[in-house]
Amino acid sequence: MTCQIKSRGLVRALQALIPTASIAILHERPWHSLTFNGAQICLSVALPITAAEQRSAVAQLLDDYEFSLPSQLVADIAITETAIFDGQFRLIIDALLLDD
């Protein structure tokens, strides 16, 4: 399974979780340990500027949400940066997906 295919499920799940967001893949790369294979993914999530107060709500959702992705496990997901850019509130989300 290529990285592009691995990230699609996560993007769809996040889009369903945060329907007002515009989500783009910034980069993704294969990830391996001695026992697991997967992918590291970095996403840009843009929200309307009026939704800036949603940052903490989104962070709480990510902490508590149980992702259900076919053949994948979301091992780690977190907001790593926030900014206001081009009239939008932007979140950078880093995730580690493991092959199930």
Side-chain angles (χ1 to χ4, degrees), residues 33-90:
S33 72
L34 288 174
T35 54
F36 296 104
N37 292 314
Q40 289 179 320
I41 300 168
C42 182
L43 304 168
S44 170
V45 177
L47 296 164
I49 199 75
T50 57
E53 64 277 359
Q54 291 181 352
R55 186 242 185 251
S56 60
V58 171
Q60 183 66 35
L61 275 174
L62 292 178
D63 285 343
D64 297 336
Y65 191 74
E66 288 290 327
F67 288 90
S68 178
L69 305 177
S71 303
Q72 294 176 312
L73 171 69
V74 178
D76 189 30
I77 188 164
I79 297 171
T80 55
E81 292 182 44
T82 61
I84 295 175
F85 180 74
D86 235 4
Q88 293 182 319
F89 187 68
R90 303 255 175 144

Side-chain angles (χ1 to χ4, degrees), residues 6-14 43 67 69 74 77 95 97:
K6 289 182 183 199
S7 64
R8 281 190 221 154
L10 179 60
V11 170
R12 280 193 299 268
L14 285 171
L43 304 168
F67 288 90
L69 305 177
V74 178
I77 188 164
L97 298 181

